[in-house]
Amino acid sequence: QVQLVESGGGLVQAGDSLRLACAASGLTFSSYAMGWFRQAPGKEREFVGAITLSTATTYYADSVKGRFTISRDNAKNTVYLQMNSLKPEDTAVYYCAARVVLATRYAYWGQGTQVTVSS
């Protein structure tokens, strides 16, 4: 049974930093590209960023580029989202997801963790 469990969310002030973690189990973690998504109240879920099997390849939404960094530790089956210079518009539930490299869709999703940024 595949499980993705996010942690690290919370309430912070604008300009602060947070690091989210997503621990994976039940899959061969090193064979999956990992993505981060978020969904704000009343809005559709949006892509935040992703990291491929090679940690040298990351992708980010324009809205977070330069502020957020994705990394992964295959030995710990964990992917991270370092969020710096947080803005109130970053407030959302953040989800991690796993995708087989050649697939177009993410097959597995976590339950999400709330990030709230106050102004």
Side-chain angles (χ1 to χ4, degrees):
Q1 180 182 354
V2 175
Q3 280 193 312
L4 302 178
V5 180
E6 300 94 339
S7 62
L11 172 62
V12 297
Q13 293 186 333
D16 285 351
S17 298
L18 271 180
R19 188 176 81 154
L20 306 184
C22 171
S25 60
L27 52 71
T28 304
F29 182 73
S30 59
S31 298
Y32 285 78
M34 300 298 296
W36 285 96
F37 295 78
R38 67 186 182 186
Q39 188 167 20
K43 295 186 177 181
E44 293 188 353
R45 185 173 59 197
E46 64 173 356
F47 172 78
V48 172
I51 185 167
T52 63
L53 301 184
S54 166
T55 57
T57 307
T58 52
Y59 306 89
Y60 300 97
D62 288 343
S63 59
V64 306
K65 202 171 294 183
R67 300 188 297 122
F68 290 11
T69 303
I70 297 175
S71 60
R72 65 188 296 162
D73 185 337
N74 288 341
K76 295 183 178 180
N77 286 4
T78 301
V79 62
Y80 303 96
L81 179 65
Q82 177 67 44
M83 305 185 293
N84 298 329
S85 302
L86 282 162
K87 303 176 182 180
E89 51 264 44
D90 294 319
T91 295
V93 177
Y94 283 73
Y95 301 89
C96 69
R99 174 176 62 83
V100 175
V101 173
L102 297 181
T104 57
R105 298 180 65 180
Y106 285 83
Y108 305 108
W109 293 81
Q111 83 291 346
T113 186
Q114 176 71 45
V115 172
T116 303
V117 184
S118 64
S119 57

